Amino acid sequence: MGALVLEDVVPVARVVLPRLELSLCGGDLAEFDEHAVEPGLFAADPGGITSHPKLAVRPWRPPGMETAPALPWAAAMPHLLGHVAFGTPLPTSYLPSLPPGAGGAWPATPARTSPEDAAATRAARTPRVSGSRANGSPVPKRPKRKFRKSVTLDPDMVAQLGLKPGKNVIAFSFSSRVWGRQEVQAHAYLWDWNAKIVVSDVDGTITKSDLRGHVAAMVGKDWNHEGVAQLYNNIRDNGYQLMFLSSRAISHSKGTRRYLEKLTQDGETLTQGPVMLAPDPLSTALYREVVVRRPQEFKMRCLRTIRELFPADWNPFYAGFGNRETDTVSYAHVGVPAGRNFTINPKSEVYAATTRHTKTYSLAGINELCDEMFPPVARHRRTRSGAADLTHCDAFADSNYWGKGFINIDDSELP
Protein backbone atom coordinates (compact mmCIF):
# COMPACT_ATOMS: atom_id res chain seq x y z
CA MET A 1 0.00 0.00 0.00
CA GLY A 2 1.46 3.38 -0.99
CA ALA A 3 1.87 6.24 1.42
CA LEU A 4 -0.74 8.98 1.43
CA VAL A 5 0.66 12.24 0.15
CA LEU A 6 -0.68 15.36 1.82
CA GLU A 7 -1.26 17.10 -1.51
CA ASP A 8 -3.71 14.32 -2.48
CA VAL A 9 -6.13 15.32 0.26
CA VAL A 10 -8.15 18.34 -0.88
CA PRO A 11 -11.00 19.51 1.33
CA VAL A 12 -13.85 20.46 -1.01
CA ALA A 13 -16.86 19.61 1.13
CA ARG A 14 -17.91 20.08 4.73
CA VAL A 15 -19.15 17.14 6.76
CA VAL A 16 -21.37 17.94 9.73
CA LEU A 17 -21.90 14.96 12.03
CA PRO A 18 -25.16 15.22 13.97
CA ARG A 19 -25.60 13.89 17.47
CA LEU A 20 -28.20 11.12 17.50
CA GLU A 21 -30.63 9.60 19.98
CA LEU A 22 -31.38 5.88 19.79
CA SER A 23 -34.56 3.95 20.56
CA LEU A 24 -35.93 0.43 20.11
CA CYS A 25 -39.48 1.60 19.39
CA GLY A 26 -39.67 -0.10 16.00
CA GLY A 27 -42.34 1.28 13.67
CA ASP A 28 -44.19 3.05 16.51
CA LEU A 29 -42.13 6.23 16.34
CA ALA A 30 -44.53 8.03 18.71
CA GLU A 31 -43.16 5.91 21.59
CA PHE A 32 -39.54 6.85 20.88
CA ASP A 33 -38.85 8.20 24.38
CA GLU A 34 -40.36 5.18 26.14
CA HIS A 35 -37.88 2.80 24.49
CA ALA A 36 -34.84 5.11 24.40
CA VAL A 37 -31.41 3.42 24.52
CA GLU A 38 -29.23 4.57 27.41
CA PRO A 39 -25.41 4.89 27.04
CA GLY A 40 -24.80 1.97 29.39
CA LEU A 41 -27.05 -0.37 27.40
CA PHE A 42 -25.30 0.57 24.17
CA ALA A 43 -21.83 0.12 25.69
CA ALA A 44 -22.77 -3.34 26.96
CA ASP A 45 -23.88 -4.66 23.55
CA PRO A 46 -23.19 -2.23 20.67
CA GLY A 47 -23.40 -4.93 18.01
CA GLY A 48 -26.79 -6.10 19.21
CA ILE A 49 -28.17 -2.56 19.33
CA THR A 50 -26.97 -1.57 15.84
CA SER A 51 -28.37 -4.76 14.31
CA HIS A 52 -31.64 -4.69 16.23
CA PRO A 53 -34.62 -4.72 13.80
CA LYS A 54 -36.52 -2.13 15.87
CA LEU A 55 -33.71 0.41 16.06
CA ALA A 56 -34.78 4.00 15.27
CA VAL A 57 -32.81 7.24 15.43
CA ARG A 58 -33.48 10.96 15.58
CA PRO A 59 -31.25 14.05 15.82
CA TRP A 60 -30.52 15.30 19.31
CA ARG A 61 -32.02 18.67 20.21
CA PRO A 62 -31.09 20.82 23.23
CA PRO A 63 -33.71 21.19 25.98
CA GLY A 64 -36.37 23.72 25.08
CA MET A 65 -36.26 23.01 21.34
CA GLU A 66 -38.83 21.12 19.29
CA THR A 67 -38.17 17.39 19.02
CA ALA A 68 -36.77 16.32 15.65
CA PRO A 69 -38.61 13.63 13.61
CA ALA A 70 -37.45 10.03 14.09
CA LEU A 71 -36.64 7.53 11.34
CA PRO A 72 -36.08 3.78 11.30
CA TRP A 73 -32.37 3.01 11.22
CA ALA A 74 -32.74 1.30 7.84
CA ALA A 75 -34.07 4.57 6.40
CA ALA A 76 -31.59 6.92 8.13
CA MET A 77 -28.43 4.84 7.54
CA PRO A 78 -28.08 5.60 3.77
CA HIS A 79 -28.19 9.37 4.48
CA LEU A 80 -25.61 9.23 7.26
CA LEU A 81 -23.29 6.85 5.43
CA GLY A 82 -23.38 8.86 2.21
CA HIS A 83 -22.75 12.06 4.17
CA VAL A 84 -19.70 10.66 5.96
CA ALA A 85 -18.21 8.88 2.93
CA PHE A 86 -18.96 11.33 0.10
CA GLY A 87 -20.16 14.55 1.75
CA THR A 88 -23.71 14.28 0.38
CA PRO A 89 -26.08 16.74 2.11
CA LEU A 90 -28.13 15.57 5.06
CA PRO A 91 -31.89 16.15 5.37
CA THR A 92 -32.64 19.52 6.92
CA SER A 93 -34.03 17.95 10.09
CA TYR A 94 -30.70 16.13 10.68
CA LEU A 95 -28.50 19.21 10.65
CA PRO A 96 -27.32 20.17 14.16
CA SER A 97 -29.40 22.93 15.69
CA LEU A 98 -28.13 25.61 18.04
CA PRO A 99 -29.89 26.23 21.34
CA PRO A 100 -32.11 29.31 21.54
CA GLY A 101 -30.10 32.52 21.84
CA ALA A 102 -26.79 30.95 20.79
CA GLY A 103 -24.76 32.50 18.02
CA GLY A 104 -22.10 31.29 15.65
CA ALA A 105 -22.10 27.92 13.94
CA TRP A 106 -21.31 24.33 14.74
CA PRO A 107 -17.85 23.08 13.83
CA ALA A 108 -17.55 21.07 10.68
CA THR A 109 -15.15 18.36 9.59
CA PRO A 110 -13.46 18.55 6.16
CA ALA A 111 -14.18 15.64 3.88
CA ARG A 112 -11.45 13.84 1.95
CA THR A 113 -11.91 13.60 -1.79
CA SER A 114 -9.82 12.37 -4.68
CA PRO A 115 -7.73 14.70 -6.91
CA GLU A 116 -10.12 14.05 -9.80
CA ASP A 117 -13.09 15.20 -7.74
CA ALA A 118 -11.13 18.23 -6.55
CA ALA A 119 -10.26 19.20 -10.11
CA ALA A 120 -13.88 18.83 -11.15
CA THR A 121 -14.95 21.00 -8.23
CA ARG A 122 -12.41 23.73 -9.11
CA ALA A 123 -13.60 23.65 -12.72
CA ALA A 124 -17.18 23.99 -11.56
CA ARG A 125 -16.21 27.02 -9.45
CA THR A 126 -14.39 28.73 -12.32
CA PRO A 127 -16.53 31.67 -13.51
CA ARG A 128 -17.71 31.42 -17.06
CA VAL A 129 -20.03 33.35 -19.30
CA SER A 130 -23.38 31.61 -19.73
CA GLY A 131 -26.56 32.44 -21.54
CA SER A 132 -24.90 33.59 -24.78
CA ARG A 133 -23.19 32.11 -27.80
CA ALA A 134 -19.72 32.98 -29.11
CA ASN A 135 -21.21 35.66 -31.37
CA GLY A 136 -23.02 37.25 -28.44
CA SER A 137 -26.54 36.06 -29.30
CA PRO A 138 -28.59 34.71 -26.37
CA VAL A 139 -28.95 30.96 -25.94
CA PRO A 140 -32.59 29.88 -25.58
CA LYS A 141 -33.32 28.05 -22.35
CA ARG A 142 -34.67 24.56 -22.59
CA PRO A 143 -38.04 24.11 -20.87
CA LYS A 144 -37.90 21.88 -17.83
CA ARG A 145 -39.58 18.54 -18.36
CA LYS A 146 -41.77 17.27 -15.55
CA PHE A 147 -42.51 13.60 -15.13
CA ARG A 148 -45.34 12.06 -13.14
CA LYS A 149 -45.42 8.43 -12.11
CA SER A 150 -48.64 6.58 -12.88
CA VAL A 151 -49.89 3.02 -12.83
CA THR A 152 -52.46 1.87 -15.37
CA LEU A 153 -53.94 -1.62 -15.01
CA ASP A 154 -54.87 -3.61 -18.08
CA PRO A 155 -58.14 -5.64 -18.14
CA ASP A 156 -56.37 -8.83 -17.01
CA MET A 157 -54.93 -7.07 -13.95
CA VAL A 158 -58.32 -5.59 -13.10
CA ALA A 159 -59.91 -9.05 -13.32
CA GLN A 160 -57.35 -10.39 -10.85
CA LEU A 161 -58.43 -7.87 -8.22
CA GLY A 162 -61.64 -9.81 -7.59
CA LEU A 163 -63.85 -6.71 -7.43
CA LYS A 164 -67.45 -7.07 -6.31
CA PRO A 165 -70.35 -5.00 -7.68
CA GLY A 166 -70.47 -1.64 -5.98
CA LYS A 167 -67.86 -0.21 -3.66
CA ASN A 168 -64.51 -1.96 -3.09
CA VAL A 169 -61.55 -0.92 -0.94
CA ILE A 170 -58.16 -1.36 -2.60
CA ALA A 171 -54.66 -0.64 -1.27
CA PHE A 172 -51.55 0.48 -3.11
CA SER A 173 -48.24 -0.04 -1.30
CA PHE A 174 -44.84 1.39 -2.18
CA SER A 175 -41.41 1.74 -0.60
CA SER A 176 -39.78 5.03 0.31
CA ARG A 177 -36.10 5.42 1.10
CA VAL A 178 -36.92 7.77 3.95
CA TRP A 179 -40.17 6.44 5.41
CA GLY A 180 -39.92 2.80 4.43
CA ARG A 181 -42.97 0.89 3.24
CA GLN A 182 -46.11 3.00 2.85
CA GLU A 183 -49.69 2.10 1.92
CA VAL A 184 -52.44 4.18 0.35
CA GLN A 185 -56.07 3.08 0.30
CA ALA A 186 -58.70 4.04 -2.26
CA HIS A 187 -62.20 3.04 -3.33
CA ALA A 188 -62.90 1.22 -6.61
CA TYR A 189 -66.45 0.93 -7.91
CA LEU A 190 -67.59 -1.88 -10.19
CA TRP A 191 -70.64 -0.94 -12.28
CA ASP A 192 -72.53 -2.64 -15.09
CA TRP A 193 -71.59 -1.80 -18.64
CA ASN A 194 -74.97 -0.08 -19.10
CA ALA A 195 -75.00 1.90 -15.85
CA LYS A 196 -76.65 5.31 -15.84
CA ILE A 197 -74.56 7.91 -14.02
CA VAL A 198 -75.74 11.14 -12.42
CA VAL A 199 -72.82 13.52 -11.86
CA SER A 200 -72.86 16.09 -9.06
CA ASP A 201 -70.49 18.90 -8.20
CA VAL A 202 -69.68 19.40 -4.49
CA ASP A 203 -68.84 23.02 -3.67
CA GLY A 204 -71.83 25.27 -4.37
CA THR A 205 -74.01 22.36 -5.50
CA ILE A 206 -74.39 20.29 -2.37
CA THR A 207 -73.32 23.30 -0.27
CA LYS A 208 -74.91 26.72 -0.69
CA SER A 209 -71.64 28.39 -1.68
CA ASP A 210 -68.20 27.36 -2.88
CA LEU A 211 -66.18 28.66 0.09
CA ARG A 212 -68.60 29.14 2.97
CA GLY A 213 -70.07 25.66 2.65
CA HIS A 214 -66.61 24.09 2.83
CA VAL A 215 -65.57 26.14 5.87
CA ALA A 216 -68.92 25.64 7.66
CA ALA A 217 -68.56 21.87 7.48
CA MET A 218 -65.13 22.11 9.14
CA VAL A 219 -66.59 23.93 12.17
CA GLY A 220 -69.68 21.73 12.48
CA LYS A 221 -72.19 24.06 10.80
CA ASP A 222 -74.75 22.97 8.20
CA TRP A 223 -74.57 25.14 5.08
CA ASN A 224 -76.01 22.60 2.63
CA HIS A 225 -78.99 22.88 0.32
CA GLU A 226 -82.04 21.60 2.15
CA GLY A 227 -83.34 18.38 0.59
CA VAL A 228 -80.30 17.55 -1.53
CA ALA A 229 -79.61 14.31 0.39
CA GLN A 230 -83.18 13.07 -0.06
CA LEU A 231 -83.14 13.93 -3.77
CA TYR A 232 -79.88 12.07 -4.42
CA ASN A 233 -81.06 9.09 -2.37
CA ASN A 234 -84.28 8.88 -4.40
CA ILE A 235 -82.28 9.03 -7.62
CA ARG A 236 -80.13 6.15 -6.34
CA ASP A 237 -83.22 4.15 -5.35
CA ASN A 238 -84.46 4.44 -8.93
CA GLY A 239 -81.36 2.56 -10.14
CA TYR A 240 -78.94 5.37 -11.02
CA GLN A 241 -75.30 5.63 -9.93
CA LEU A 242 -74.11 8.84 -8.22
CA MET A 243 -70.66 10.25 -8.91
CA PHE A 244 -69.22 13.35 -7.24
CA LEU A 245 -66.87 15.53 -9.28
CA SER A 246 -64.88 18.45 -7.88
CA SER A 247 -61.86 20.46 -8.97
CA ARG A 248 -60.42 20.33 -5.45
CA ALA A 249 -56.84 19.13 -5.12
CA ILE A 250 -56.21 15.45 -4.48
CA SER A 251 -54.79 16.37 -1.06
CA HIS A 252 -58.38 17.16 0.03
CA SER A 253 -59.69 13.70 -0.89
CA LYS A 254 -59.90 12.43 2.69
CA GLY A 255 -61.68 15.50 4.00
CA THR A 256 -64.08 15.65 1.03
CA ARG A 257 -64.99 11.98 1.35
CA ARG A 258 -65.48 12.31 5.11
CA TYR A 259 -67.73 15.33 4.57
CA LEU A 260 -69.93 13.47 2.07
CA GLU A 261 -70.12 10.37 4.24
CA LYS A 262 -71.32 12.35 7.27
CA LEU A 263 -73.82 14.60 5.45
CA THR A 264 -77.20 13.84 7.06
CA GLN A 265 -80.49 15.71 6.57
CA ASP A 266 -83.76 14.80 8.30
CA GLY A 267 -82.33 11.45 9.33
CA GLU A 268 -81.16 10.54 5.79
CA THR A 269 -77.47 10.11 5.08
CA LEU A 270 -76.27 11.09 1.62
CA THR A 271 -75.75 8.18 -0.74
CA GLN A 272 -72.15 7.29 -1.50
CA GLY A 273 -70.34 7.14 -4.81
CA PRO A 274 -66.96 7.76 -6.43
CA VAL A 275 -65.33 11.08 -5.49
CA MET A 276 -63.25 12.37 -8.40
CA LEU A 277 -60.75 15.13 -7.56
CA ALA A 278 -58.01 16.85 -9.53
CA PRO A 279 -54.65 15.00 -9.34
CA ASP A 280 -52.79 18.27 -8.87
CA PRO A 281 -51.08 20.12 -5.99
CA LEU A 282 -53.16 22.55 -3.97
CA SER A 283 -51.48 25.56 -5.56
CA THR A 284 -52.33 24.36 -9.09
CA ALA A 285 -55.94 23.61 -8.16
CA LEU A 286 -56.39 27.04 -6.55
CA TYR A 287 -54.82 28.78 -9.54
CA ARG A 288 -57.17 26.98 -11.93
CA GLU A 289 -60.24 27.56 -9.74
CA VAL A 290 -59.67 31.08 -8.38
CA VAL A 291 -57.26 32.88 -10.73
CA VAL A 292 -57.97 31.69 -14.27
CA ARG A 293 -61.45 30.33 -13.38
CA ARG A 294 -61.29 27.35 -15.71
CA PRO A 295 -62.22 24.31 -13.58
CA GLN A 296 -63.88 22.76 -16.61
CA GLU A 297 -60.45 21.85 -18.00
CA PHE A 298 -60.04 19.11 -15.40
CA LYS A 299 -63.71 18.14 -15.29
CA MET A 300 -64.03 17.66 -19.04
CA ARG A 301 -60.86 15.56 -19.13
CA CYS A 302 -62.02 13.44 -16.19
CA LEU A 303 -65.50 12.82 -17.60
CA ARG A 304 -64.04 11.98 -21.00
CA THR A 305 -61.73 9.38 -19.40
CA ILE A 306 -64.67 7.75 -17.61
CA ARG A 307 -66.72 7.79 -20.82
CA GLU A 308 -64.00 5.77 -22.55
CA LEU A 309 -64.46 2.94 -20.01
CA PHE A 310 -67.90 2.15 -21.45
CA PRO A 311 -68.88 0.76 -24.87
CA ALA A 312 -68.67 3.21 -27.73
CA ASP A 313 -72.43 2.98 -28.39
CA TRP A 314 -73.43 3.61 -24.78
CA ASN A 315 -73.28 6.98 -23.05
CA PRO A 316 -73.41 6.38 -19.28
CA PHE A 317 -73.96 10.02 -18.29
CA TYR A 318 -77.68 10.52 -17.75
CA ALA A 319 -77.82 13.83 -15.85
CA GLY A 320 -75.64 16.35 -14.06
CA PHE A 321 -75.99 18.86 -11.21
CA GLY A 322 -73.72 21.89 -10.87
CA ASN A 323 -73.76 25.51 -9.78
CA ARG A 324 -71.79 27.30 -12.51
CA GLU A 325 -71.76 27.70 -16.23
CA THR A 326 -68.49 25.75 -16.28
CA ASP A 327 -70.34 22.72 -14.87
CA THR A 328 -72.97 22.99 -17.59
CA VAL A 329 -70.24 23.10 -20.25
CA SER A 330 -68.45 20.11 -18.72
CA TYR A 331 -71.56 17.92 -18.63
CA ALA A 332 -72.60 18.92 -22.15
CA HIS A 333 -69.12 17.98 -23.36
CA VAL A 334 -69.81 14.30 -22.61
CA GLY A 335 -73.35 14.27 -23.99
CA VAL A 336 -75.58 15.05 -21.01
CA PRO A 337 -78.89 16.26 -22.55
CA ALA A 338 -79.67 19.91 -22.01
CA GLY A 339 -82.97 19.00 -20.35
CA ARG A 340 -81.12 17.05 -17.64
CA ASN A 341 -78.18 19.44 -17.25
CA PHE A 342 -79.25 21.10 -13.99
CA THR A 343 -77.89 24.14 -12.16
CA ILE A 344 -78.53 24.87 -8.46
CA ASN A 345 -78.15 28.50 -7.43
CA PRO A 346 -77.43 29.79 -3.86
CA LYS A 347 -81.21 30.16 -3.27
CA SER A 348 -81.66 26.38 -3.73
CA GLU A 349 -83.47 26.99 -7.02
CA VAL A 350 -82.95 24.45 -9.79
CA TYR A 351 -83.22 24.99 -13.52
CA ALA A 352 -82.15 23.05 -16.57
CA ALA A 353 -80.12 24.38 -19.46
CA THR A 354 -83.33 24.49 -21.57
CA THR A 355 -85.43 26.29 -18.92
CA ARG A 356 -82.86 28.77 -17.64
CA HIS A 357 -85.04 31.80 -18.44
CA THR A 358 -88.50 30.25 -18.29
CA LYS A 359 -88.85 27.82 -15.40
CA THR A 360 -87.16 27.19 -12.07
CA TYR A 361 -87.83 24.47 -9.53
CA SER A 362 -87.10 24.05 -5.87
CA LEU A 363 -85.24 20.97 -4.65
CA ALA A 364 -88.49 19.80 -3.07
CA GLY A 365 -90.26 20.25 -6.41
CA ILE A 366 -87.59 18.27 -8.25
CA ASN A 367 -87.88 15.57 -5.60
CA GLU A 368 -91.65 15.29 -6.17
CA LEU A 369 -91.00 14.79 -9.90
CA CYS A 370 -88.11 12.38 -9.33
CA ASP A 371 -89.91 9.39 -10.84
CA GLU A 372 -90.77 11.40 -13.96
CA MET A 373 -87.34 13.02 -14.42
CA PHE A 374 -85.45 9.89 -13.33
CA PRO A 375 -87.68 6.94 -14.27
CA PRO A 376 -86.89 3.70 -12.41
CA VAL A 377 -84.25 1.72 -14.24
CA ALA A 378 -84.93 -2.00 -14.56
CA ARG A 379 -82.01 -4.37 -14.09
CA HIS A 380 -80.35 -5.32 -17.38
CA ARG A 381 -78.93 -8.74 -18.09
CA ARG A 382 -77.21 -10.39 -21.02
CA THR A 383 -78.50 -13.38 -22.90
CA ARG A 384 -76.41 -16.47 -23.64
CA SER A 385 -75.50 -15.01 -27.02
CA GLY A 386 -74.11 -11.93 -25.34
CA ALA A 387 -76.90 -9.62 -26.53
CA ALA A 388 -78.41 -7.24 -24.02
CA ASP A 389 -81.87 -8.09 -22.71
CA LEU A 390 -83.26 -4.61 -22.07
CA THR A 391 -86.47 -4.62 -20.06
CA HIS A 392 -86.64 -0.86 -19.94
CA CYS A 393 -85.90 1.87 -22.43
CA ASP A 394 -86.05 5.62 -22.05
CA ALA A 395 -88.14 5.93 -25.19
CA PHE A 396 -91.00 4.09 -23.45
CA ALA A 397 -90.82 5.92 -20.13
CA ASP A 398 -94.05 7.61 -19.07
CA SER A 399 -92.56 11.09 -19.45
CA ASN A 400 -91.49 10.37 -23.04
CA TYR A 401 -94.11 7.90 -24.31
CA TRP A 402 -97.16 9.82 -23.14
CA GLY A 403 -95.70 13.28 -23.57
CA LYS A 404 -97.11 15.42 -26.31
CA GLY A 405 -94.75 16.58 -29.01
CA PHE A 406 -94.55 20.05 -30.46
CA ILE A 407 -97.03 20.98 -33.16
CA ASN A 408 -95.44 22.30 -36.33
CA ILE A 409 -97.21 25.52 -37.39
CA ASP A 410 -96.30 27.27 -40.58
CA ASP A 411 -95.48 30.95 -40.29
CA SER A 412 -98.18 31.78 -42.81
CA GLU A 413 -100.86 30.37 -40.48
CA LEU A 414 -99.91 32.73 -37.70
CA PRO A 415 -102.08 35.87 -37.33
Side-chain angles (χ1 to χ4, degrees), residues 24 44 79 160 187 194 205 211 227 239 244 247 262 273 353 379 388 406 415:
L24 300 180
H79 294 284
Q160 294 176 3
H187 295 158
N194 49 12
T205 302
L211 180 60
F244 302 97
S247 58
K262 293 184 177 181
R379 300 297 181 186
F406 294 100

Side-chain angles (χ1 to χ4, degrees), residues 17 37 47 68 75 82 96 171 194 255-256 259 265 286 314 328 360-361 366 377 385 398:
L17 300 180
V37 177
N194 49 12
T256 304
Y259 159 71
Q265 294 178 334
L286 288 176
W314 178 261
T328 302
T360 60
Y361 300 87
I366 292 287
V377 178
S385 62
D398 290 344

Side-chain angles (χ1 to χ4, degrees), residues 202 206-207 222-225 228-230 233 244 257-265 267-272:
V202 177
I206 296 178
T207 63
D222 185 5
W223 195 249
N224 306 309
H225 288 293
V228 66
Q230 184 180 9
N233 289 350
F244 302 97
R257 191 179 296 111
R258 186 190 304 113
Y259 159 71
L260 295 174
E261 291 174 351
K262 293 184 177 181
L263 198 159
T264 303
Q265 294 178 334
E268 288 196 38
T269 303
L270 180 66
T271 183
Q272 298 304 303

Side-chain angles (χ1 to χ4, degrees), residues 192 194-198 234-241 314 318 371 373-380 390-394:
D192 293 332
N194 49 12
K196 294 186 177 181
I197 304 175
V198 177
N234 290 338
I235 293 175
R236 174 208 57 195
D237 294 340
N238 283 356
Y240 298 84
Q241 305 291 348
W314 178 261
Y318 184 84
D371 290 339
M373 292 185 173
F374 301 90
V377 178
R379 300 297 181 186
H380 304 327
L390 301 179
T391 57
H392 177 83
C393 182
D394 286 344

Side-chain angles (χ1 to χ4, degrees), residues 14-20 58-62 65-66 68 80 83 89-100 102-109:
R14 309 292 285 181
V15 176
V16 180
L17 300 180
R19 178 179 172 183
L20 301 177
R58 73 182 180 191
W60 174 83
R61 291 290 185 265
M65 295 191 63
E66 184 179 358
L80 297 174
H83 181 65
L90 283 173
T92 306
S93 61
Y94 270 62
L95 295 178
S97 300
L98 294 175
W106 288 84
T109 305

Side-chain angles (χ1 to χ4, degrees), residues 14-213:
R14 309 292 285 181
V15 176
V16 180
L17 300 180
R19 178 179 172 183
L20 301 177
E21 294 179 296
L22 309 181
S23 175
L24 300 180
C25 61
D28 194 357
L29 301 178
E31 299 183 358
F32 188 95
D33 294 331
E34 298 180 7
H35 303 276
V37 177
E38 300 297 334
L41 179 61
F42 183 83
D45 187 15
I49 297 297
T50 54
S51 61
H52 200 285
K54 293 186 177 182
L55 179 62
V57 299
R58 73 182 180 191
W60 174 83
R61 291 290 185 265
M65 295 191 63
E66 184 179 358
T67 304
L71 286 177
W73 174 240
M77 180 177 60
H79 294 284
L80 297 174
L81 186 60
H83 181 65
V84 174
F86 307 108
T88 57
L90 283 173
T92 306
S93 61
Y94 270 62
L95 295 178
S97 300
L98 294 175
W106 288 84
T109 305
R112 295 182 176 181
T113 57
S114 64
E116 292 79 4
D117 294 339
T121 303
R122 287 192 296 268
R125 293 178 177 178
T126 303
R128 56 183 179 179
V129 180
S130 59
S132 61
R133 296 189 178 93
N135 56 5
S137 60
V139 178
K141 296 183 178 180
R142 293 184 179 182
K144 295 183 179 180
R145 301 180 61 184
K146 297 182 179 180
F147 297 92
R148 178 178 298 172
K149 293 183 179 180
S150 63
V151 177
T152 302
L153 303 182
D154 56 36
D156 294 336
M157 294 180 179
V158 175
Q160 294 176 3
L161 295 178
L163 301 179
K164 299 179 180 179
K167 178 180 176 181
N168 299 265
V169 179
I170 60 175
F172 177 79
S173 60
F174 61 95
S175 297
S176 171
R177 189 179 66 174
V178 177
W179 300 109
R181 187 176 182 84
Q182 299 292 314
E183 184 177 279
V184 179
Q185 289 188 350
H187 295 158
Y189 286 79
L190 180 61
W191 290 341
D192 293 332
W193 65 271
N194 49 12
K196 294 186 177 181
I197 304 175
V198 177
V199 188
S200 173
D201 183 36
V202 177
D203 298 318
T205 302
I206 296 178
T207 63
K208 291 183 181 180
S209 67
D210 287 344
L211 180 60
R212 188 173 180 180

